[in-house]
Amino acid sequence: MSDVVEKTLTALPALFDSQTGAAKITNRLRQLIKSITELTSKHEEENLIKQELSAMKEQVSSPNTTMKQMREIMVRAMYCEMLGYDASFTYIHAIKLAQQGGVLEKRVGYLAVSLFLNEGHELLLLLVNTVLKDLQSTNLIEACMALTVVAQVFPKDMIPAVLPLVEDKLSHPKEIIRRKAVLALYKFYLIAPNQVQHIHAKFRKALCDKDPGVMTSSLHIYLQLIRESPDSYKDLTGSFVTILKQVVGGKLPLDFNYHSVPAPWLQIQLLRILSLLGKEDQSTSELMYEVLDESLRRAEMNHNITYAILYECVKAVYTIHPKAELLEKAARCIGNFVLSPKINLKYLGLKALTYVVQHDAKLALQHQMTIIECLDHSDFTIKRETLELLFRITNAQNVTVIIEKMLDFLRSCNDEHTIIHLVGKVAELAEKFAPDNSWFIQTMNDVFSIGGDLLQQDVPNNFLRLLAEGSESKEEDDQLRLYAVDSYLTVLKGHTSHLPQCFLQVMSWVLGEYAHLQESVDQREVIQFLTQLLDQRSVSSETRVWILSALTKISEGQTDLILDLAESLSSSQDTVLRQQAQELRHLSQDSQLHEWALPRGAPWDSIEVAGLIVFPYYDNSSTLILEGVKRVWGKDGYLPQKEATAPLVDEPSAAVQPPGQHEAAERIESRPEPSTQNQDKQQLASSLFVGLGVGSSMSLLGKSEAPPPCFRKKPRPHESPSSSSSSSGTSERSSDSSSRNTTDSFLYGSLLEEEPATAISAFDHTPKSTTANGLAQNKDTKEDRRANTSQILGGDMVIVRPSTIQDKHPPSVSSDLTALLPADLKDLPHSDVISLTSDPSLSLSSCRLFRDEALLLVIFISNCTETVIKDVSVQLTCEELKTVSLRGNVVDCLEARSTSVCHYALLMDDPHTNVSFTGTVSYQTQPGHTNTLPFSGTLSTADFIRPLVVTTEEYGKLWLSLSHDVKQNLKLLTDAGDPLRTTLNALKDALQLHVVDIIGSEGIVACRLLSGAPCLLHCRVNGTALAMWLRSPHPALPDCILYHCQRALTHH
Amino acid sequence: MQFMLLFSRQGKLRLQKWYVPLSDKEKKKITRELVQTVLARKPKMCSFLEWRDLKIVYKRYASLYFCCAIEDQDNELITLEIIHRYVELLDKYFGSVCELDIIFNFEKAYFILDEFLLGGEAQETSKKNVLKAIEQADLLQEVRPGPALAKQNVPLFVTV
């Protein structure tokens, strides 16, 4: 069939020629297309288009070009852009065409605009007026065009300008207009949800529209809304169920049928909405059982579209609160997919299984033979999905077989994204389920050599941590390390030039740390291996640093070798290498210094800090290198507080597959004989699906809650309860800090008597010691704490804090109002008093008090009259903030010329850069006559940030456990003294941060949001900038803090 | 849906519609990579493939490939039917549509697409309604695009 097309295309020029006579081809687009098909080389095409474009350029700027010609030019411009050439000079004319042309020109103009311009393009602003005009046009087609363009590209900032007009269209008599208006609002919701918040009622109107098309369109909005907050829309469940029932029952006009299936798009949308609503909600789920059953039953026809609905239905059944009968039916459905000869359906079957095995692993068992067939499928997509499925059912018994399959696949795969994705999974499974040391090390070797430098940095980091931290038993740890050393020495004996840098780095680190464990190997040999690597051209300078660090560690006593090496490097171009070589020489000549700087077999905990800073930053190795840090941090008394280890999880030796069976499986896979193929598959099946039986189905799944048999992996610090119960000689400082943390909560209790206890939570990651300890020290630490706070705030008890948003407030009023503060609040640091609002009777001012556990917003209500004002009551609203307590918001009687104080304790759950609050005061000057006075103001995140007092070690642990990070270069304040210190102090003053430590050109800083989430900042001087790296468990917090840091530094 | 691409067996782009804002450079890169990947696939293979963090759904009609990018949670099969419905619409409009119709009247193909999908979501799935809307706008046009050429080309769509 396609040969025919090719022939036609080659015959095209002739075809045109035969038609020119008939004057069929008048327009230039056809000529252009025709000429292009005649060309043979890309070069010729480029020349032709260049000519064409310059001709067009001339034409568009000529005043004689008519609108009709312009339209034709625009089509050609679209064509040129499609071929990949730049015709941006026509963009402005596209807008003009939409503006000035008749309907036909407009249509092309709008199309060109939507194809040429992205949402953010500045030229779009010029389109706004045209859109406004057309939206008001009585011509249906013009209005349609305007709505179509609005729903595709529209500048976010200009939404308010068109919003009222679009809203009006929701009551337009024509359904096509209503439909497009709904989709335009959907688009607005996606790009600027705040702008359309107030028209949620209109969405409901669209949902109830009598035209099914308009109603269907409104579901796009609802799907989005419900995905974000399912709880707010539970009341609509009944309506959605009714609609679905009607659709399934064939109540819609036949127009909506697609291949005799009623409105499949609508059905799928509704099924998705229902599954979101029914998730983890039994009573809501019960409402939909019947209609889901009906949908499963009705969708019987053997057509893609019914399978599309069935697939969505199955997902819904497995997402909502389970019902046995439905689950059974859904499982049968999955069978139909998986067993289908059609490859697309098979794929979806696998995908459904992958989703479903999290709930019911037995289903994988049922289809094991199909799964095995898919594993050897020729289609990459099918194979990959099968591996995804296997990943979900991996347990300690089948891990070796599954990982082997994954690695096989990876070796033949050349897609970067797939490799990164899958290699990460292999590493995860290996760490979780490894049956023994040698297998683990071997698998990780494969991971490093296959994944290579594409690997996510946390894979090598986690691996090294695991080796270094070890478990309870030193013997076992050393065994693992020994395996690693042996394995790496074997690798290094072979050909090394193809090894990825990341693997070389891991090897050098391990050899540096643990090569001495292997007594049967001469350390000189190790040094030689490493030195050889240094000579290799393919080794990057970053890796060289790692290798040299390793050499430094094992150089002891091998002075001759080392001196040679140091000599050869001392003329290196790379200053870091030169420096290291220098250090190496000194250390190798002075064994005492060497012993002091690099004590062999030092506990890992003492170099944990090194781990923190070096691994993430080792690519900027110019500042900190491993042994350098160790020197400073290891010996400088950096509280080598040994972390108490949780009870060791059982060695999974019992769960390890009998070796015979495993070998058999291996042999079979490598050499499948055609005659015994079926038998092979059976055997493979038995090794793949072991452990998924009825009894053990749930607990063995990787995804289940039950702890999997864990391979010598220590729980992360924050997971282990009371991890600070210290071992040998805990330093005073750390016990101090942990007790301080506990006493915090006691302090909260006493300071804020009206506050519910739940509002207080010292953030989760801080280790807590026993409460008895805290109680005893309560009084002492109270003072301690005060001092601490004041130190953080700059040495004075009461400080008027420079606020980042102060400049937006009205000028401040006399601050003697603060004298009116209740005694328990007087000593708190506070902001300036600013005037909120006033009328002839009342005047309102406010100030912010920075308490350790909440922000107090104090409102001063002053009676400006000579008479008594009664029933004064303050109402404060702010959606983004949580009020944990309030006091004094209702005053029965406010004497003449007096002031009453009311205060709100506020918390911010989700960080916003700035939030505004509004409120009203109602009062009576005469009985029965109520006046109200509205007020509003702004608060910033900075008000809700408090210092987080942690030790460097705690910081290090916390850092590694946090996921969301943001990096940015900030301005470095260089005007006085040490730039890093100056800058950090400026930030500390503006934002209440805790500077944990400053080491050379790096500084670590910590703070927390009042309601709990910590945020860690890692700052490094980078030339004239401050490279700031923020991490937090809360995704939005780093951005917010960064914003305020930027502001603080610019205003400094 | 994130974007839709139409390209020929020779890898020539025939139509592109982007529903997410991307720079021209990225668009070109994606198009190039995707055309290569899809053309390399064998006819019996499945119509879906995972590509970067997206899911690609594609289908070949005669000499033209229709290719959509969706997100992981989207339904692959219904996307396949979206492609099919679009081809049905083109077929009805042009009268047994072939690749040349789309080459020479690509702006019409865009108009039809915009009436069918808006902002990446199905807007109107009724064939009748979509064509009605297009025809109304076309009425203002002097000439309706007659069959581009004598129909010597292979129809995309072998309707039964």
Side-chain angles (χ1 to χ4, degrees), chain B residues 55-68:
Chain B
K55 182 81 43 95
I56 304 297
V57 177
Y58 71 92
K59 187 156 182 186
R60 181 177 161 182
Y61 288 88
S63 53
L64 260 193
Y65 283 86
F66 290 69
C67 173
C68 297

Side-chain angles (χ1 to χ4, degrees), chain A residues 185-204:
Chain A
L185 290 178
Y186 169 63
K187 173 78 177 181
F188 292 168
Y189 180 78
L190 289 181
I191 58 176
N194 295 333
Q195 310 266 28
V196 290
Q197 241 165 20
H198 60 288
I199 51 172
H200 281 198
K202 298 245 162 113
F203 295 159
R204 285 207 183 206

Side-chain angles (χ1 to χ4, degrees), chain A residues 1032-1044:
Chain A
S1032 166
H1034 199 296
L1037 188 57
D1039 284 321
C1040 265
I1041 292 185
L1042 192 62
Y1043 169 82
H1044 286 288

Side-chain angles (χ1 to χ4, degrees), chain A residues 6 118 179 312 344 351, chain B residues 9 22 46-47 75-76 124:
Chain A
E6 273 165 49
N118 270 342
R179 202 175 62 216
E312 216 60 55
N344 287 345
K351 202 177 156 194
Chain B
R9 228 170 65 98
L22 291 171
C46 97
S47 306
N75 189 317
E76 289 90 348
E124 173 58 88

Side-chain angles (χ1 to χ4, degrees), chain B residues 2-156:
Chain B
Q2 306 238 329
F3 57 84
M4 186 191 247
L5 301 176
L6 264 68
F7 50 88
S8 71
R9 228 170 65 98
Q10 289 75 28
K12 288 255 188 270
L13 193 60
R14 297 299 181 209
L15 208 72
Q16 53 173 342
K17 188 82 191 178
W18 303 83
Y19 296 109
V20 284
L22 291 171
S23 72
D24 284 348
K25 211 175 137 201
E26 277 172 287
K27 286 181 188 171
K28 275 186 199 163
K29 186 161 181 267
I30 291 176
T31 312
R32 202 174 46 237
E33 279 182 34
L34 214 53
V35 168
Q36 250 177 24
T37 318
V38 170
L39 287 180
R41 287 179 64 83
K42 299 195 180 76
K44 283 282 157 67
M45 288 185 167
C46 97
S47 306
F48 319 127
L49 66 135
E50 270 160 67
W51 187 77
R52 299 195 185 173
D53 50 348
L54 294 175
K55 182 81 43 95
I56 304 297
V57 177
Y58 71 92
K59 187 156 182 186
R60 181 177 161 182
Y61 288 88
S63 53
L64 260 193
Y65 283 86
F66 290 69
C67 173
C68 297
I70 55 173
E71 276 147 68
D72 194 49
Q73 76 243 23
D74 289 333
N75 189 317
E76 289 90 348
L77 279 180
I78 199 85
T79 311
L80 216 45
E81 294 311 299
I82 283 189
I83 294 178
H84 189 75
R85 174 49 47 115
Y86 182 46
V87 177
E88 282 182 347
L89 287 166
L90 291 170
D91 194 60
K92 187 95 188 250
Y93 182 79
F94 288 106
S96 178
V97 69
C98 61
E99 188 183 343
L100 288 181
D101 287 318
I102 296 174
I103 299 178
F104 286 104
N105 299 293
F106 68 89
E107 81 277 20
K108 307 282 181 223
Y110 277 122
F111 290 141
I112 297 174
L113 186 60
D114 281 351
E115 239 9 88
F116 173 46
L117 299 176
L118 192 50
E121 304 283 354
Q123 173 196 184
E124 173 58 88
T125 53
S126 147
K127 211 177 347 185
K128 201 181 83 189
N129 288 353
V130 174
L131 292 173
K132 204 171 83 189
I134 293 292
E135 267 153 25
Q136 267 169 353
D138 273 352
L139 277 183
L140 303 154
Q141 193 121 357
E142 317 88 327
V143 271
R144 213 198 123 137
L149 303 149
K151 292 277 176 188
Q152 302 173 356
N153 211 333
V154 186
L156 284 187

